[in-house]
């Protein structure tokens, strides 16, 4: 299993837990989890994975990663 | 230093709050109602002669030595069985009593060997003491009558002997086995003069049900049951109170010494975790400290295929620093990290994470709790607001319903299990949620009311179903929920669990537990009085480990079983300092005290104290480190006291990660399996050689005290300091107490902790601070740490690890009583006599079609790998489930386990692996290769440097 595949699986696992909380809270919950527990490199890799199509990533984590990417871009621009 | 002499009050303390005043030998004394005369006398310092009485056991009244006279009462009642009464006037020494006692002693001594001078108990024999106390001068009956002097000694147990010739049949050993240990392995066989102590069905001790806890040895007033080490070495001359380094119970012991040599370990009566009891590991399995395979000099090698070369400490530390600096220069700051251990002290662990954060300049620090209780931290923090169990062990005495989930305390936490069994014998009810029929489901005088033998991986479904019953049957403690919990979150949870898909009938299809059993268990938990949940790694080591912890917390909150004695949520920690290693900031995302590294104010306080800027981003977890190593980005690792190759999942992947690193530094007692991939070996110290503190499963911080010099010449904390200094990070501590002072300064929950306080109080449970200067036995009493209790939605998600046609069985792993974790310590003691190899338990329904019989070698294979192990055909496991332990490196059960893990914490899913079992003729190719590699890797050059 490739490194990206592992990150995708981990993100999907996280997403499945938060899914029960409803869409809005789930996306925020997943994004917060990734921010609090993943290293910057892991976050950058999953962002890059989404930018390349995000194969295998479920919808909720995909949107959470997109939110991370937007926050990251905003921070870089600030 | 002298031997610590504990006062034996003869009978247990009475619990009454009503006082009674009486007079003993003309002196007035006030004691709680129900106290025995013997104990009341001892409170005055009056030792009434006794043999069958000791204060760890209920009074028995058989030896007739403790007779007293009571004014206004006829006869000479036994003081151990006679309770005090108001106004009672007792005389303990009269001519009549002296005559009676001498007569009793004459009878005892007429059938006892007169070999005191050569007896191993000489100087520590209550019979000898009593002969002196009663003034025995002769034995009128002579020594030629019928006697037991030719009875054959039983030396079958590796740690103690049983010499019936010296037995006075006081029954203390039998009662200790029953009352203290709860095993009921001993009995009095025969009647009258023929009465004798017998193990099991009059078998040798080793062949009986005896679990070698040693309670009988401790209770014996003569040399009948005595440690072989005492026979070999003689009586100890001083003792030091310290803490056991095995499981998370954290038993206090007196290390009884001759000089720097341990004679025996005796559980300390004042130990608040164990109250004078122990198990076979803590009491007896300490010989590994002197094992010939201990590595006592630092060693280096250029490549892992080279033999080791012994070097000086300076050279070894210099190599570590130069290599780590080189790697960071070449590959970047994040290319190195460290792993702390739950086997190490709080102070050692604190220093390693400080070294990583302040010295390495990253947060790549993790701990072995990653693979055991990391979901506990996450789950309890989310629901209650703190990452720890809620109770002290004494809480069990107030429990009416015990719910045991995924834990096997009689094997893994035996001393607490004994207390639990005692409470169950007193009438508390028991619910067991476990795929295996663990001993507590049915053992002498204990029978679970409900056993829920669920399919591995379905904990969440079953706990949700219990929630369903509690909510839909109106069993919620609404007052508690309204007052103490977030009501909106509760309403959301209640609606969720009430959905039909969470009903027992639906869950039965998933978990295989009859719906009615779930219903009955839920009703009992919710309505049976004080209900306490105790859980273990059968909860956490799943892909939904964290969700399960949350589901447990939900049940406790919904029923109001939080915030007082007798209830609570209690994770049973596997290793001695799991709690402490987590408390000390070992996880990559948080600083000591469970505060996130990204919190500016918290980080600033550490930056100010340590004089270094800290990275605000979380670092790598252990599995992430290994992934990064395989990817070529992580190159250096400092492992203190852990053996990740044997203990972590998917051994092939761990090996690949370690092999890809350029500098692996292992600090340990032995050349463990991880050391096969190490470039630097730094010898570590056993708990007998260290000063520091451990924090047990009840948040109890206890001292461990050095009883012998570090055999490698240097304490473990000093090694970490030396590495830090060599890497340019100044650390200045004169001793571990100063490290604790720094921890207290920086960690609010430890603010009141100091060695002086620990010495004064014996131990404290955190939080220990200005609000709770003597610690906190029970948490969340008036409010949760986070404010309101937070119900969490715990949707059941089946693991992706499913049984298939190719791998039709589910493997779950665990441990057994005599062994500890990877076995590095216990395999180097006589405990191997109970467990020479790992064994695979398989149900007859699965064994039969495969042609597998008990004792056969079988091949255990999964998609991750395969190994061979002997089979044991048993109904302890359910059909479709197999079970093994992971104590032996040549079995390497983790070759078979996969890289699936908990969604929140990456705690491995050890408890569910789809496997196949087939007959085998011998070891796998991998095992053969590994054995050869391990032998090659452990070569040490003969020409050692100084």
């Amino acid at each position: 299993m490739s490194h990206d595949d592992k990150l995708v699986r981990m993100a999907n696992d996280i997403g499945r837990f938060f899914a029960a909380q409803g869409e809005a809270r789930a996306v925020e919950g997943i994004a917060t989890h990734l921010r609090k527990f993943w290293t910057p490199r892991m976050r950058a890799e999953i962002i890059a994975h989404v930018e390349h199509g995000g194969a295998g990533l479920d919808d909720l984590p995909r949107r959470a990663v997109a939110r991370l990417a937007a926050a990251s871009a905003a921070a870089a621009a600030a | 230093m002298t031997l610590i002499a504990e006062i034996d009050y003869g009978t247990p303390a009475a619990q009454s709050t009503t006082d009674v005043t009486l007079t003993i030998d003309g002196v007035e004394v006030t004691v709680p109602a129900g106290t025995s005369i013997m104990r009341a006398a001892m409170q005055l310092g009056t030792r009434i002669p006794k043999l069958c009485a000791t204060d760890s056991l209920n009074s028995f009244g058989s030896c007739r030595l403790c007779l007293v006279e009571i004014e206004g009462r006829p006869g000479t009642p036994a003081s151990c069985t006679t309770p005090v009464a108001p106004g009672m006037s007792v005389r303990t020494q009269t001519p009549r009593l002296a005559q009676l006692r001498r007569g009793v002693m004459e009878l005892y001594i007429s059938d006892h060997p007169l070999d005191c001078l050569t007896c191993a108990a000489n100087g520590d024999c209550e019979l000898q003491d009593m002969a002196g106390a009663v003034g025995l001068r002769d034995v009128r009956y002579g020594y030629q009558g019928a006697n037991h002097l030719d009875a054959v000694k039983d030396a079958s147990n590796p740690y103690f002997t049983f010499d019936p010739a010296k037995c006075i049949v006081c029954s203390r050993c039998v009662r200790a086995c029953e009352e203290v240990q709860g095993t009921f392995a001993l009995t009095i066989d025969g009647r009258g003069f023929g009465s004798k102590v017998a193990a099991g069905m009059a078998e040798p001790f080793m062949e009986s049900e005896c679990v070698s806890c040693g309670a009988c040895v401790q209770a014996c007033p003569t040399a009948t049951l005595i440690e072989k080490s005492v026979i070999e070495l003689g009586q100890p001359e001083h003792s030091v109170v310290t803490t056991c380094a095995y499981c998370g119970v954290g038993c206090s012991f007196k290390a009884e010494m001759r000089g720097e040599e341990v004679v025996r370990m005796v559980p300390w009566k004042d130990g608040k975790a164990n109250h004078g009891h122990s198990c076979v590991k803590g009491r007896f399995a300490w010989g590994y400290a002197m094992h010939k395979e201990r590595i006592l000099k630092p060693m280096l090698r250029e490549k892992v295929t080279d033999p080791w070369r012994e070097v000086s400490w300076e050279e070894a530390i210099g190599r570590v620093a130069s290599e780590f600096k080189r790697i960071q220069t070449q590959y970047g700051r994040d290319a190195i990290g460290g792993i702390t251990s739950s086997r190490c002290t709080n102070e050692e662990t604190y220093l390693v994470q400080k070294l990583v954060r302040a010295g390495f300049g990253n947060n790549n620090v993790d701990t072995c709790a990653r693979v055991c209780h990391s979901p506990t931290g996450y789950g309890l923090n989310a629901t209650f607001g703190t990452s720890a169990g809620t109770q002290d062990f004494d809480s069990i005495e107030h429990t009416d319903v015990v719910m045991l989930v995924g834990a096997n305390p009689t094997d893994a936490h035996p001393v607490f299990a004994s207390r639990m069994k005692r409470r169950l014998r007193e009438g508390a009810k028991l619910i067991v949620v476990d795929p295996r029929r663990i001993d507590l489901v049915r053992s002498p005088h204990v029978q679970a009311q409900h056993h829920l033998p669920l399919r591995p991986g379905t904990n969440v479904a079953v706990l949700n179903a219990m929630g369903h019953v509690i909510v839909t049957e109106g069993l919620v403690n609404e007052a508690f929920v309204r007052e103490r919990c977030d009501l909106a979150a509760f309403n959301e949870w209640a609606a969720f669990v009430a959905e039909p898909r969470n009903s027992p009938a639906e869950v039965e299809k998933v978990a295989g537990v009859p719906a009615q059993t779930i219903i009955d268990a839920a009703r009992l938990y919710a309505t049976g009085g004080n209900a306490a949940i105790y859980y273990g790694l059968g909860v956490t080591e799943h892909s939904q480990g964290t969700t399960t912890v949350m589901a447990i917390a939900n049940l406790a909150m919904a029923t109001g079983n939080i915030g007082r004695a007798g209830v609570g949520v209690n994770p049973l920690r596997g290793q001695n300092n799991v709690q402490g290693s987590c408390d000390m900031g070992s996880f990559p995302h948080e600083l000591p005290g469970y505060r996130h590294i990204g919190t500016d104010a918290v980080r600033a306080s550490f930056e100010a104290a340590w004089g270094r800027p800290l990275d605000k981003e979380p670092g790598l977890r252990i599995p992430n480190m290994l992934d990064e190593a395989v990817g070529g980005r992580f190159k250096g690792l400092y492992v203190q006291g852990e053996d990740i190759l044997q203990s972590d999942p998917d051994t092939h992947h761990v090996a690949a990660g370690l092999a890809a690193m350029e500098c692996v530094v292992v600090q340990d007692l032995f050349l463990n399996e991880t050391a096969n991939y190490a470039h630097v070996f730094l010898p570590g110290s056993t708990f007998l050689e260290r000063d520091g503190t451990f924090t047990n499963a009840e948040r109890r911080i206890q001292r461990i005290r050095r009883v012998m010099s570090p055999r490698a010449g240097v304490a473990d904390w000093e090694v970490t300091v030396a590495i830090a200094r060599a890497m340019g990070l100044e650390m200045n501590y004169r001793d571990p107490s100063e490290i604790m002072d720094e921890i207290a300064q920086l960690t609010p929950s430890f603010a009141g902790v100091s060695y002086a306080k620990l010495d004064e109080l014996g131990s404290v449970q955190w939080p220990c601070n200005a609000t709770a200067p003597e610690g906190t036995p029970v948490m969340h009493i008036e409010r949760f740490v986070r404010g309101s209790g937070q119900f969490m939605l715990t949707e059941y998600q089946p693991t992706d690890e499913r049984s298939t046609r190719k791998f039709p069985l589910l493997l779950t792993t665990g441990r057994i009583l005599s062994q500890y974790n990877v076995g590095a310590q216990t395999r180097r003691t006589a405990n191997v006599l109970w467990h020479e190899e790992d064994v695979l338990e398989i149900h007859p329904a699965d064994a039969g079609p495969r042609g597998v019989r008990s004792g056969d070698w079988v091949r255990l294979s999964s998609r991750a790998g395969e190994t061979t192990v002997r089979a044991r055909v048993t109904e302890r496991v359910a059909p479709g489930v197999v079970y093994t332990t992971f104590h032996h490196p040549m079995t390497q059960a983790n070759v078979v386990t996969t890289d699936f893990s908990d969604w929140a914490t990456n705690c491995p899913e050890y408890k569910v692996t789809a496997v196949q079992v087939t007959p085998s003729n011998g070891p796998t190719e991998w095992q053969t290769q590994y054995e050869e590699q391990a032998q090659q890797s452990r070569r040490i050059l003969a020409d050692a440097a100084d």
Side-chain angles (χ1 to χ4, degrees):
Chain A
M1 180 178 274
S2 74
H3 191 54
D4 270 9
D5 289 342
K6 274 197 177 177
L7 294 180
V8 167
R9 190 177 72 198
M10 286 166 61
N12 285 343
D13 287 347
I14 295 163
R16 280 203 287 272
F17 170 78
F18 284 101
Q21 300 179 1
E23 194 175 303
R25 280 160 61 196
V27 171
E28 180 56 33
I30 298 164
T32 301
H33 187 94
L34 297 180
R35 251 195 313 270
K36 287 178 74 173
F37 299 103
W38 283 29
T39 64
R41 181 186 285 160
M42 291 163 69
R43 297 200 302 262
E45 286 171 347
I46 198 77
I47 289 171
H49 181 77
V50 168
E51 286 170 354
H52 287 87
L57 203 58
D58 295 340
D59 180 55
L60 289 173
R62 180 194 298 262
R63 290 165 58 189
V65 172
R67 181 172 295 193
L68 282 184
S72 175
Chain B
M1 283 187 289
T2 58
L3 271 177
I4 296 167
E6 292 174 297
I7 297 171
D8 185 352
Y9 290 90
T11 63
Q15 301 303 319
S16 173
T17 53
T18 305
D19 283 345
V20 169
T21 299
L22 68 157
T23 303
I24 299 177
D25 293 334
V27 180
E28 200 169 83
V29 61
T30 301
V31 295
T35 300
S36 70
I37 292 172
M38 175 181 281
R39 187 177 180 97
M42 195 61 221
Q43 278 190 218
L44 289 172
T46 301
R47 294 174 193 269
I48 298 175
K50 64 180 182 59
L51 280 171
C52 72
T54 187
D55 59 12
S56 61
L57 304 173
N58 291 322
S59 56
F60 193 55
S62 81
C63 75
R64 313 313 295 170
L65 208 57
C66 70
L67 310 177
V68 292
E69 292 181 5
I70 302 172
E71 195 173 293
R73 294 195 188 182
T76 52
S79 63
C80 65
T81 54
T82 306
V84 296
M88 176 185 269
S89 179
V90 179
R91 293 181 67 81
T92 68
Q93 300 290 346
T94 68
R96 178 167 68 146
L97 292 171
Q99 188 178 12
L100 285 169
R101 288 173 185 154
R102 268 188 221 113
V104 169
M105 282 304 298
E106 282 184 90
L107 289 167
Y108 277 124
I109 299 302
S110 70
D111 186 13
H112 193 83
L114 300 177
D115 61 350
C116 289
L117 290 179
T118 56
C119 177
N122 189 12
D124 183 32
C125 174
E126 293 182 43
L127 188 68
Q128 190 180 47
D129 293 345
M130 290 306 106
V134 305
L136 184 71
R137 297 293 174 262
D138 60 5
V139 173
R140 288 168 291 167
Y141 313 110
Y143 304 98
Q144 307 308 316
N147 60 57
H148 301 81
L149 301 182
D150 294 329
V152 178
K153 193 174 185 176
D154 175 2
S156 62
N157 188 288
Y159 296 120
F160 60 85
T161 60
F162 171 62
D163 186 353
K166 296 186 173 179
C167 182
I168 59 171
V169 201
C170 64
S171 293
R172 274 165 62 161
C173 55
V174 177
R175 289 182 287 141
C177 191
E178 294 176 2
E179 296 176 26
V180 179
Q181 168 56 28
T183 293
F184 295 79
L186 304 182
T187 190
I188 299 294
D189 189 29
R191 303 178 69 179
F193 186 75
S195 301
K196 58 182 182 182
V197 171
M201 302 296 286
E203 304 150 291
F205 268 72
M206 272 302 274
E207 294 173 22
S208 73
E209 313 96 302
C210 167
V211 293
S212 295
C213 68
C216 58
V217 178
Q218 189 173 343
C220 181
T222 70
T224 306
L225 285 155
I226 192 166
E227 297 91 343
K228 286 183 175 177
S229 56
V230 174
I231 295 173
E232 181 184 343
L233 300 171
Q235 289 291 323
E237 42 80 20
H238 77 271
S239 50
V240 179
V241 173
T242 190
T243 305
C244 180
Y246 282 121
C247 79
V249 175
C251 296
S252 291
F253 278 89
K254 294 180 295 179
E256 296 199 338
M257 312 290 298
R258 291 193 66 82
E260 288 206 329
E261 188 167 28
V262 178
V263 174
R264 64 182 171 189
M265 299 292 285
V266 181
W268 191 36
K269 197 161 66 174
D270 286 347
K272 294 186 176 70
N274 58 319
H275 297 288
H277 190 36
S278 71
C279 77
V280 62
K281 294 190 287 288
R283 188 190 294 262
F284 294 123
W286 38 267
Y288 66 87
M290 305 306 290
H291 196 276
K292 63 184 180 186
E293 289 174 4
R294 275 285 298 275
I295 301 295
L296 302 175
K297 291 186 177 178
M299 302 191 297
L300 297 178
R301 58 186 174 186
E302 304 304 318
K303 305 190 299 292
V304 298
T305 50
D306 292 341
W308 287 103
R309 177 171 61 89
E310 292 178 345
V311 298
S312 67
W313 278 104
E314 290 73 21
E315 186 176 351
I317 298 295
R319 174 70 66 87
V320 174
S322 65
E323 275 297 278
F324 281 175
K325 286 180 187 171
R326 176 189 67 76
I327 288 170
Q328 287 193 302
T329 302
Q330 192 172 341
Y331 299 101
R333 192 184 61 180
D334 294 337
I336 63 173
I339 296 177
T340 73
S341 172
S342 298
R343 292 200 274 276
C344 294
T345 64
N346 287 319
E347 293 77 5
E348 290 155 359
T349 303
Y350 174 85
L351 286 192
V352 172
Q353 63 89 33
K354 178 177 177 179
L355 166 67
V356 171
R357 299 185 199 281
F360 296 178
N362 62 44
N363 292 312
N364 293 336
V365 61
D366 207 359
T367 185
C368 54
R370 174 67 52 213
V371 300
C372 67
H373 266 290
S374 51
T376 288
Y378 192 108
L380 294 186
N381 190 47
T383 49
F384 299 160
T386 192
S387 302
T390 61
Q391 310 297 117
D392 58 0
F393 287 142
D394 288 351
S395 171
I396 191 74
E397 291 173 14
H398 306 278
T399 297
D400 301 308
V401 178
V402 175
M403 186 156 109
L404 197 57
V405 188
N408 186 10
T410 53
D411 278 28
H413 305 88
V415 171
F416 179 66
S418 290
R419 298 191 68 187
M420 187 181 278
K421 285 194 286 188
R422 177 187 288 198
R423 183 63 188 155
L424 294 169
R425 290 197 303 273
E426 289 170 351
K429 305 289 193 297
L430 175 64
I431 302 164
V432 174
V433 184
D434 199 296
R436 291 175 76 224
R437 199 188 64 222
I438 60 171
D439 284 351
L440 279 173
V441 171
R442 184 175 165 81
S443 59
H445 300 275
V446 168
Q447 177 149 15
Q449 272 61 40
H450 308 293
H451 176 208
L452 284 59
L454 73 182
R455 291 196 185 105
T458 61
N459 283 331
V460 172
V462 169
L463 294 168
N464 283 346
M466 289 182 68
H468 178 98
V469 174
I470 289 165
V471 167
T472 58
E473 296 192 3
L475 305 180
V476 170
N477 184 333
E478 292 180 4
F480 180 91
V481 170
R482 205 167 35 246
E483 188 181 331
R484 300 286 307 277
C485 303
D486 183 310
L487 204 53
F490 166 75
N491 288 332
E492 191 177 44
W493 172 78
F496 158 71
V497 293
E499 291 176 30
R501 63 199 167 91
N502 290 319
S503 69
E506 288 301 309
V507 167
E508 177 178 344
K509 299 171 191 169
V510 174
V513 180
Q516 192 59 47
T517 307
I518 296 174
I519 293 167
D520 292 342
R523 288 173 179 164
L524 177 59
Y525 176 74
T527 66
N530 285 338
I533 296 176
Y534 293 85
Y535 72 87
L537 304 184
V539 159
T540 56
E541 291 176 343
H542 287 277
S543 62
Q544 281 203 291
T546 294
T547 316
T548 313
V549 173
M550 292 172 174
I552 284 171
N554 288 340
L555 292 185
M557 288 188 290
T559 55
N561 279 308
I562 283 286
R564 64 183 187 276
V567 298
V569 173
N570 306 280
L572 295 171
R573 311 286 187 157
Q575 299 195 60
N576 50 316
N577 203 33
V578 175
Q579 182 70 57
S581 70
C582 298
D583 300 342
M584 291 297 102
S586 291
F587 289 133
H589 66 282
E590 59 194 10
L591 287 157
Y594 303 101
R595 291 162 300 159
H596 198 275
I597 189 76
T599 306
D600 291 341
V602 173
R603 199 173 61 256
S605 68
F606 284 86
E607 287 173 333
W610 295 348
R612 290 289 180 94
L614 302 180
D615 189 344
K616 67 178 182 182
E617 294 286 358
L620 295 165
R621 296 169 172 175
I622 294 171
N624 306 141
M625 291 180 195
L626 296 166
D627 290 344
E628 290 287 305
V630 171
R633 294 180 294 269
F634 189 85
K635 294 290 186 180
L637 183 63
Y638 171 33
V639 189
Q640 185 184 62
E642 264 306 293
D643 190 358
I644 58 172
L645 188 75
Q646 190 178 339
S647 65
D648 285 31
D650 195 1
T651 305
H652 292 309
H653 182 63
V654 178
L658 290 169
M661 296 183 201
E662 295 180 4
C663 183
V664 175
V665 180
V666 168
Q667 184 178 5
D668 216 301
L669 304 176
F670 303 100
L671 281 170
N672 61 19
E673 308 311 306
T674 303
N676 293 342
Y677 292 89
H679 305 83
V680 181
F681 187 90
L682 305 173
S685 306
T686 68
F687 77 112
L688 297 168
E689 300 155 44
R690 287 144 65 180
D691 277 314
T693 57
F694 291 148
T695 306
N696 75 355
E698 46 168 3
R699 295 170 280 105
R700 186 180 300 285
I701 307 160
Q702 304 186 102
R703 284 292 316 277
I704 69 163
R705 295 180 175 88
R706 176 188 291 192
V707 301
M708 61 175 71
S709 304
R711 293 192 62 209
V714 183
D716 289 15
W717 69 270
E718 293 174 308
V719 175
T720 308
V721 166
I723 294 172
R725 285 178 173 165
M727 293 195 69
L729 175 67
E730 196 53 37
M731 288 187 184
N732 291 300
Y733 307 100
R734 282 171 297 186
D735 61 64
S737 74
E738 295 188 345
I739 306 172
M740 178 54 79
D741 291 343
E742 183 175 309
I743 294 166
Q745 176 202 334
L746 291 167
T747 313
S749 53
F750 276 65
V753 180
S754 67
Y755 278 24
K757 180 170 285 184
L758 294 174
D759 289 343
E760 178 193 345
L761 300 179
S763 62
V764 293
Q765 290 171 271
W766 68 257
C768 175
N769 47 32
T771 311
E774 296 197 354
T776 310
V778 176
M779 294 193 78
H780 316 298
I781 288 178
E782 291 175 356
R783 63 188 292 278
F784 286 96
V785 169
R786 70 179 303 282
S788 298
Q790 179 71 24
F791 283 84
M792 301 294 291
L793 297 180
T794 52
E795 186 75 63
Y796 167 62
Q797 301 281 354
T799 171
D800 290 336
E801 184 71 10
R802 315 251 171 97
S803 55
T804 62
R805 179 173 292 184
K806 188 175 180 186
F807 300 114
L809 304 172
L810 291 180
L811 168 72
T812 183
T813 63
R815 62 176 63 171
I816 64 152
L817 172 65
S818 64
Q819 298 295 319
Y820 176 70
N821 202 267
V822 295
Q825 294 139 284
T826 44
R827 279 187 282 109
R828 292 178 171 97
T829 69
N831 279 26
V832 291
L833 294 176
W834 287 280
H835 189 75
E836 289 177 313
E837 58 187 354
D838 294 318
V839 172
L840 184 81
E841 292 183 0
I842 183 169
H843 191 273
D846 296 316
R850 289 171 172 78
V852 171
R853 296 161 302 178
S854 285
D856 287 353
W857 283 103
V858 293
R859 185 166 299 235
L860 177 67
S861 53
S862 75
R863 62 183 171 82
E866 61 182 24
T867 187
T868 53
V869 65
R870 281 190 203 277
R872 177 183 296 141
V873 180
T874 172
E875 293 184 355
R876 275 171 72 97
V877 289
V881 177
V882 291
Y883 169 88
T884 192
T885 50
F886 59 100
H887 302 305
H888 288 267
M890 289 320 299
T891 309
Q892 288 278 17
N894 284 318
V895 169
V896 177
T897 56
T898 71
D899 63 350
F900 282 171
S901 65
D902 172 50
W903 65 268
T905 64
N906 291 128
C907 182
E909 192 171 42
Y910 290 116
K911 303 299 185 189
V912 189
T913 306
V915 295
Q916 178 59 291
V917 175
T918 52
S920 172
N921 290 326
T924 63
E925 186 179 343
W926 179 85
Q927 283 173 297
T928 306
Q929 287 173 355
Y930 183 78
E931 185 166 20
E932 188 180 328
Q933 180 201 352
Q935 284 177 358
Q936 286 291 312
S937 178
R938 294 189 175 119
R939 288 172 298 150
I940 300 173
L941 285 177
D943 293 329
D946 187 18

